[in-house]
Amino acid sequence: MKTLSMTLTGVLLATSAMIAPGLAYAQTAPVQQTPAQQAEPEAELPAADPETSLDEIVVLGRYIPEPNRASSEVAAFVTAEDLQRTGDSSAAAALTRVTGLSVVEGRFIYVRGLGERYSSALLNGSPLPSPEPLQRVVPLDLFPANVLDSVTVQKTYSANFPGEFGGGVIDLQTIDAPNEPFFSMQVGVGGNTETTGKKALTYYGSRTDFLGFDDGTRDLPGEIDLAFRSGNRIGSAAYTDRQLQQLGRSLINAPLRLLQREENPVDVGLEVSGGFSNETSLGTLGVIAVAGYDNSWQVREGFQENGGFDGGALVPLDSFTFASNQNDVQLNVLGGLSLSGMNHELKWTNFFVRNTTKEARSRIGSVFGAGGSIQRDDFTEWFVRQLYSTQLAGEHDFLDGALEFDWRAAYATTSRDAPYETQFGYAFNAAGNLSHRTGSGGNLIAFSELDDDVYSAGADVRYTLPLSDLREAVFSGGVAFLDNSRNSERRELQFTNGTALTQDQLESRVDYFTSDFNIGPNGLILTEITGQNGAAAYDGELQVNAAYVSVEAEILPLITTTVGVRYEQAEQSVSTRNLSGDLTPVLATRLEEEYFLPAFTATWNFAEDMQLRVGASQTIGRPQFRELAAQPYTDPESDRTFNGNPFLVDTEILNLDARYEWYFARQQFVTFGVFYKDLDKPVESTIVNTNDTTRQQSFINAPQAVIYGAEIEAKKYFEWPDSGSSFIANKRWLVQSNYTYSDSEVRVDAGDTVVSPGNTTAQPANFFIADGSRLQGQSKHVANLQLGWEDDTARSQATIIVNYVSERITARGAGAAGNREPDYLQDPGVFLDFVYRKDFTVADRDLGFALELRNLLGTEFDEYQELDGNKIRINNYDLGSSASVSLTARF
């Protein structure tokens, strides 16, 4: 038998010549090489070390991608290549292709059927705030694909990540400075079958709305601002008739209230990016910059209903048809500087995104709780979401790489500004004409603001200790700090005293109805109704101090284990404010908890390019600020009102995972995994009846739940060089698919209690939740399929993309045990997309063309209740099919 003697350094040099670096171990069996391996050049080996003699060298894991090799956890990685192939415009869209992930509202990611509250999102390892009223997790549609280098979804917990971990952690990595200088520009246009070229609702707004910025029209009037700051509620108790008249007339009228119809234009987008690296006396200086502008439209026309029991049958309590037109304008800028030397690297990354939504909508229908009357409501809205993040990070190597020290410090702030949320209601009068409704529910003008800030810092130390020539142990430790603060305020105004107006005035156009002539003591009187249904404002604070230690070692040959524990001390508080002293304060919430969160994973590399991973961990899920705040908020997506529950507590989660991985060729693999999670006191959303016809959605802690399932994924390339057809022979064909089956069960035993919103005493849990029901948000089936080809000769690529998500519960039905309404369900359905890309050269200039076709099957949005064949259309509308083309120039 031939004997090869090598030092550890020699082994590493030899294996680095393979397709992917691998660990080397002594084996008695000869090496079996594929033709591709035989074609690899041989590495020049150093002189033999007599102290180390190996019979044979077998390279294990030659095809395992570097991210999978570097991580000891069950994880999925979305690379820049994946982002280009699928053509997804945002991180949210790209993550729908990952095994076990689904997207909700186009913004929030559900991992393995667990809602967004059970996952955390990081930007380059730092936590982010959220501009969303209902979520503390940042919506991932704010991150355009052009600023991303990769996305990591880690599904098993490791102690270096935050303890708020249920479904997984999503780490967004922004692009770095390039080795070679570049500049590129992309322009694109698109449209939708339900939207583009159609006459749809809109309102004037301001002259600069198309830029995503208001020209000052929507600024809070100075008179109203002074009244808000005074602490006195706007009304006859604190203001004279003349003052109320001035306040009412100060509000902008026709530009922000009058609905019109206009033909929707095409969607447009523009992106520019560039970067370079230069050698300096201090090291390599890198610069990267990306900017983008996107202007898109979406028309929704469908049904909105509320259901309830009538003699045991599920019937609609109200039924509306609605039409909505939404214009989204997004601006994003990424800028980064880096300085890297032999053993050190510093990075400063700044990211800003602004998303503005201008929406006009109207609904008309029967309100059976009001005697079956026909009513109409018109809405005009303007929502501005902004996120800014700045991060300074460093990576340092000492002792020839044996000691590594990484650190990061970040500040991120988000805001949501919603000025002039306007609603005006109408009803048919005795003459059969539409007449303005005045008083409660007749009209509303709201101003709301939300600010959310996160200060965070962290440091990690890793020391590599050789255990032998072939094995080593990595000792890690670190600390982390997070301070998250949120402030939310909402002011609501209403015109009252409409009974003093004539019939002609009540039937007039909305801008005539609220004209200065009609505002006064003998007409419409401006009245503040802030906080009538709950607190008008709340302040949230979350402080987390954390430290962890872990050890990764190959104690036994071919088996790498990682054991760690994280300590977290957290204080979370939510206190509500009424903004005036005439209402009873709402109960505040304060949660103070300490946790030791253990994590264990083991990877067994039992065969060439095969490995088995297992993991177990204990993690937590904290209630979100909005879920704790007893402040009403109406969601414009569903027109449902949400109210928090100050009695919620943390969720404790046990996680168990196992996954088999086979990387049989470069970029080709098969994986199969199973998972199990036990949740103690998970947060569930439930519908609450406030009267016969009004519904609110709130939150409770279910006693216990389990979720379990299996995942399988495969990726395979095919090539037929001798097929006889140039179309087939010149291409590399791709088949990639994944499927996740999961099931869950909420367990409610006799004697289990919950504290519901509006109550201070515990109530039987089975009053709200049926034992054995599924977890909210969990879909039994999630599947993805990609079929495509790559042609290096023609410089083209085409991919057919299929995504399927089965129905999931969005909220628990209202009512008591034995008389509980069915749960609210959403059926996402099947989406079929096609993406084609081709590069070509014109006048020595590299250009790129892209064609994207989305939702070719015309799948609709469908949220409903159903019982005994009776279906209540909670929210139903057509999404339409979309098409876009873009051209990229590279300089």
Side-chain angles (χ1 to χ4, degrees), residues 307-479:
F309 284 129
D310 182 9
L314 184 66
V315 298
L317 298 178
D318 56 51
S319 181
F320 290 91
T321 60
F322 78 95
S324 163
N325 190 20
Q326 179 175 308
N327 180 208
D328 289 296
V329 179
Q330 180 162 298
L331 301 169
N332 64 271
V333 179
L334 172 77
L337 294 174
S338 62
L339 182 64
S340 58
M342 181 71 70
N343 299 312
H344 307 279
E345 183 175 20
L346 296 175
K347 290 183 180 180
W348 184 30
T349 306
N350 295 272
F351 175 66
F352 171 79
V353 61
R354 176 186 174 97
N355 184 286
T356 302
T357 298
K358 177 182 180 181
E359 183 174 7
R361 72 182 190 278
S362 181
R363 65 178 187 177
I364 186 170
S366 299
V367 182
F368 302 112
S373 64
I374 304 297
Q375 295 183 0
R376 183 180 123 186
D377 295 289
D378 293 343
F379 305 82
T380 61
E381 293 159 332
W382 173 266
F383 304 108
V384 180
R385 298 181 296 160
Q386 288 190 168
L387 166 67
Y388 170 68
S389 170
T390 181
Q391 183 198 61
L392 188 63
E395 299 178 3
H396 312 277
D397 292 344
F398 305 95
L399 304 177
D400 295 327
L403 178 64
E404 301 174 52
F405 174 63
D406 300 341
W407 58 271
R408 62 200 173 276
Y411 167 70
T413 180
T414 63
S415 63
R416 180 185 184 272
D417 187 19
Y420 280 99
E421 287 182 75
T422 301
Q423 174 187 355
F424 281 89
Y426 307 81
F428 284 95
N429 57 28
N433 299 321
L434 277 176
S435 176
H436 283 276
R437 303 198 317 265
T438 58
S440 178
N443 58 78
L444 177 71
I445 304 167
F447 297 83
S448 63
E449 292 182 345
L450 184 152
D451 296 291
D452 201 331
D453 298 327
V454 167
Y455 294 88
S456 65
D460 304 279
V461 177
R462 289 180 297 277
Y463 177 71
T464 301
L465 176 67
L467 300 179
S468 70
D469 286 342
L470 298 177
R471 295 198 294 274
E472 61 188 23
V474 180
F475 297 87
S476 303
V479 294

Side-chain angles (χ1 to χ4, degrees), residues 135 225 408 446 500 600 610 688 699 820 860:
Q135 285 87 9
D225 186 34
R408 62 200 173 276
F600 166 82
M610 291 187 187
V688 179
F699 310 92
R820 182 182 297 107
E860 64 181 13

Side-chain angles (χ1 to χ4, degrees), residues 20 42 61 90 92 101 144 189 315 330 367 405 430 553 576 601 737 759 789 792 801 812:
E42 294 184 1
S90 69
L101 272 62
V189 296
V315 298
Q330 180 162 298
V367 182
F405 174 63
T576 55
T601 58
S737 64
N759 292 278
W789 49 258
D792 292 337
I801 307 167
R812 300 291 179 193

Side-chain angles (χ1 to χ4, degrees), residues 523 635-636:
D635 179 20

Side-chain angles (χ1 to χ4, degrees), residues 571-637:
E571 295 183 9
Q572 183 175 6
S573 63
V574 174
S575 57
T576 55
R577 294 181 282 117
N578 289 318
L579 302 179
S580 61
D582 57 352
L583 293 174
T584 303
V586 181
L587 183 66
T589 298
R590 187 173 188 85
L591 299 174
E592 298 184 29
E593 301 287 353
E594 294 184 1
Y595 296 100
F596 286 92
L597 304 173
F600 166 82
T601 58
T603 302
W604 179 23
N605 198 175
F606 62 90
E608 184 176 9
D609 298 315
M610 291 187 187
Q611 56 190 22
L612 177 67
R613 301 183 190 266
V614 295
S617 61
Q618 183 78 35
T619 57
I620 58 172
R622 296 185 179 96
Q624 302 181 81
F625 291 137
R626 193 62 190 80
E627 295 171 346
L628 291 166
Q631 181 200 44
Y633 162 74
T634 300
D635 179 20
E637 294 282 341

Side-chain angles (χ1 to χ4, degrees), residues 528-671:
E528 185 175 0
I529 59 172
T530 298
Q532 287 190 355
N533 296 319
Y538 73 88
D539 299 311
E541 185 80 19
L542 172 64
Q543 289 188 349
V544 180
N545 299 305
Y548 77 92
V549 292
S550 68
V551 179
E552 180 179 350
E554 189 181 343
I555 305 299
L556 299 175
L558 307 180
I559 299 179
T560 301
T561 59
T562 303
V563 180
V565 62
R566 185 181 185 90
Y567 167 77
E568 285 198 354
Q569 183 272 329
E571 295 183 9
Q572 183 175 6
S573 63
V574 174
S575 57
T576 55
R577 294 181 282 117
N578 289 318
L579 302 179
S580 61
D582 57 352
L583 293 174
T584 303
V586 181
L587 183 66
T589 298
R590 187 173 188 85
L591 299 174
E592 298 184 29
E593 301 287 353
E594 294 184 1
Y595 296 100
F596 286 92
L597 304 173
F600 166 82
T601 58
T603 302
W604 179 23
N605 198 175
F606 62 90
E608 184 176 9
D609 298 315
M610 291 187 187
Q611 56 190 22
L612 177 67
R613 301 183 190 266
V614 295
S617 61
Q618 183 78 35
T619 57
I620 58 172
R622 296 185 179 96
Q624 302 181 81
F625 291 137
R626 193 62 190 80
E627 295 171 346
L628 291 166
Q631 181 200 44
Y633 162 74
T634 300
D635 179 20
E637 294 282 341
S638 61
D639 281 331
R640 286 204 293 272
T641 299
F642 290 76
N643 214 334
N645 179 359
F647 301 102
L648 298 178
V649 298
D650 293 354
T651 303
E652 299 185 27
I653 309 168
L654 171 66
N655 309 279
L656 302 175
D657 286 87
R659 186 167 79 168
Y660 160 78
E661 302 170 358
W662 177 27
Y663 298 92
F664 53 86
R666 190 178 185 184
Q667 298 181 329
Q668 302 177 67
F669 57 84
V670 173
T671 67

Side-chain angles (χ1 to χ4, degrees), residues 700-712:
I700 59 174
N701 283 111
Q704 187 186 16
V706 296
I707 183 169
Y708 51 89
E711 301 172 335
I712 186 169

